[in-house]
């Protein structure tokens, strides 16, 4: 702005905004803008001719909104907001930390009804992505709110390594043959949820797509006893051949290559498609993909389902005919896919 600098940052994955103003001796004075906690905050625009700026704000219980900021006084006012799509008046957001296998502290958010009993009986969906330096921050989901939270479900977002929540090092810790830490982080969050009696393995489901679909496949094969529902969305699953499928060859920097012996050995250890075994008790997963997915490719999901079928392991499979790397080409198709997922979770975890 004219007389100040506005910066946004993440403080343990919670959005923060600050104003910096010039001070004596070439120094700066910092002041925090007092937004509510557990939100995602980003700069929309600033005026170089005055001291006003617009910031975008959203959260698990807060629809996307635009706030006007006076950079000199620190005054805040909400200018415009999308209408709420579910009743969040009885919901709260908490943040906890789990300890991963190597001692790393992994934060996660829990969205639930106020006064929730810690009796291990709360239906819970645990979501994560864990790759490509993508930061998963608080965001507003009308679908989760209306179809899950309003029915007493618990929603959990885990900020596991592989993402960008704590900068490049958080991402790089899980690259190539080091990737097991990503899956250990996720399992640690699940174990912490059970330890806190927020939920139990009977009431715990997990969800992830694309790279997060690989996460689901790994958790399905490495810890089948920990979940009652596993929603595997547009996934990578055959990690020995992922480079030959769709855009897979462009991700060697993330996963490693089957042409490098040490990396191939790790991919073989990791690959969900290659680690499904007969006579193991697995939860019945929901596996879905799209016919025209040119990023990951539908081959991963199809082959994985076929392998489960060959071993008489129960599963559910759905393929969206239209659309690319997503849940459909139109609002109607995407709504249908979401309805299938939430029906699956409701039947598995709430009944």
């Amino acid at each position: 702005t004219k007389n100040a600098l506005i910066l946004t940052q993440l403080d343990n994955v919670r959005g923060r905004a600050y104003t910096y103003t010039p001070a004596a001796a070439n120094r700066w004075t910092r002041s925090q803008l007092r937004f509510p906690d557990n939100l995602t905050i980003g700069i929309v625009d600033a005026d170089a001719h005055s001291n006003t700026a617009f910031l975008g704000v959203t959260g698990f219980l807060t629809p996307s909104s635009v706030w006007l900021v006076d950079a000199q006084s620190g005054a805040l006012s909400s200018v415009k907001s999308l209408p709420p799509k579910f009743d969040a008046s009885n919901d709260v957001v908490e943040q906890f930390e789990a300890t991963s296998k190597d001692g790393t502290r992994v934060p996660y958010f829990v969205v639930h009804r106020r006064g929730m009993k810690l009796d291990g009986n709360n239906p819970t969906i645990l979501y994560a992505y864990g790759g490509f330096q993508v930061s998963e921050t608080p965001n507003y989901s009308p679908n989760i709110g209306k179809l899950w939270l309003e029915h007493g479900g618990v929603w959990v977002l885990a900020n596991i390594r592989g993402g960008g929540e704590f900068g490049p090092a958080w991402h790089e810790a899980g690259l190539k043959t080091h990737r097991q830490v990503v899956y250990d982080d996720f399992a640690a969050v699940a174990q912490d949820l059970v330890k806190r009696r927020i939920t139990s393995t009977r009431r715990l489901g997990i969800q992830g797509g694309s790279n997060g679909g690989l996460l689901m496949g790994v958790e399905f094969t490495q810890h089948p006893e920990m979940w009652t529902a596993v929603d595997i969305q547009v996934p990578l699953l055959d990690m020995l051949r992922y480079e030959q499928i769709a855009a897979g060859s462009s991700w060697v920097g993330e996963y490693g290559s089957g042409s490098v012996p040490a990396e191939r050995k790790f991919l073989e250890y990791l690959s969900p498609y290659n680690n499904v075994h007969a006579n193991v008790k697995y939860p019945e997963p929901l596996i879905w993909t799209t016919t025209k997915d040119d990023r990951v490719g539908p081959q991963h999901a199809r082959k994985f389902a076929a392998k489960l079928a060959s071993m008489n392991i129960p599963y559910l499979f759905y393929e969206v005919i239209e659309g690319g790397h997503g849940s459909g080409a139109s609002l109607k198709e995407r709504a249908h896919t979401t309805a299938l997922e939430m029906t699956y979770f409701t039947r598995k975890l709430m009944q």
Side-chain angles (χ1 to χ4, degrees), residues 133-191:
Q133 203 171 322
V134 174
S135 298
E136 292 287 349
T137 60
N139 66 93
Y140 191 78
S141 171
N143 291 330
I144 294 298
K146 194 69 180 177
L147 303 176
W148 192 249
L149 295 176
E150 278 195 1
H151 295 271
V154 178
W155 173 255
V156 180
L157 174 63
N159 299 111
I160 60 179
R161 279 174 284 185
E165 291 88 341
F166 296 96
W170 196 247
H171 169 232
E172 292 165 5
L175 289 180
K176 297 187 176 181
T177 58
H178 302 290
R179 201 162 195 83
Q180 184 59 44
V181 301
V182 175
Y183 310 120
D184 290 343
D185 287 359
F186 189 86
V189 171
Q191 290 162 356

Side-chain angles (χ1 to χ4, degrees), residues 203-218:
R203 299 294 181 186
L204 180 57
I206 57 177
Q207 181 184 57
S210 191
N211 173 76
L214 170 60
L215 169 65
M216 295 300 101
V218 173

Side-chain angles (χ1 to χ4, degrees), residues 228-247:
T228 295
V230 182
D231 182 9
I232 307 175
Q233 309 166 312
V234 287
L236 289 92
L237 294 168
D238 182 358
M239 296 308 291
L240 287 182
R241 294 199 69 258
Y242 85 93
E243 293 171 83
Q244 285 76 50
I245 301 173

Side-chain angles (χ1 to χ4, degrees), residues 42-192:
I43 296 171
V44 176
D45 203 359
D47 182 8
H49 304 287
S50 72
N51 286 300
T52 57
F54 288 113
L55 270 65
V57 176
T58 188
F60 298 109
L61 308 177
T62 305
S64 296
S65 57
V66 176
W67 289 59
L68 180 66
V69 176
D70 186 314
Q72 277 199 312
S73 68
L76 303 173
S77 59
S78 178
V79 176
K80 195 170 186 179
S81 175
L82 292 176
K85 296 297 183 180
F86 64 93
D87 181 8
S89 59
N90 292 318
D91 295 328
V92 295
V93 179
E94 294 185 281
Q95 188 186 46
F96 300 105
E97 284 187 335
T99 302
S100 195
K101 199 172 185 177
D102 64 359
T104 301
R105 304 289 294 176
V106 181
Y108 64 94
F109 293 99
V110 181
V111 189
H112 62 86
R113 281 188 176 177
R114 186 179 286 106
M116 174 185 68
K117 292 182 179 179
L118 298 178
D119 58 4
N121 201 41
N122 300 294
T124 300
I125 299 174
L126 169 59
Y127 176 88
Y129 184 75
F132 295 93
Q133 203 171 322
V134 174
S135 298
E136 292 287 349
T137 60
N139 66 93
Y140 191 78
S141 171
N143 291 330
I144 294 298
K146 194 69 180 177
L147 303 176
W148 192 249
L149 295 176
E150 278 195 1
H151 295 271
V154 178
W155 173 255
V156 180
L157 174 63
N159 299 111
I160 60 179
R161 279 174 284 185
E165 291 88 341
F166 296 96
W170 196 247
H171 169 232
E172 292 165 5
L175 289 180
K176 297 187 176 181
T177 58
H178 302 290
R179 201 162 195 83
Q180 184 59 44
V181 301
V182 175
Y183 310 120
D184 290 343
D185 287 359
F186 189 86
V189 171
Q191 290 162 356
D192 201 60

Side-chain angles (χ1 to χ4, degrees), residues 186-202:
F186 189 86
V189 171
Q191 290 162 356
D192 201 60
L193 288 168
V194 173
K195 182 179 178 181
R196 293 179 187 274
R197 294 187 59 76
I198 292 173
T199 191
S200 61
T201 56
R202 166 64 186 89

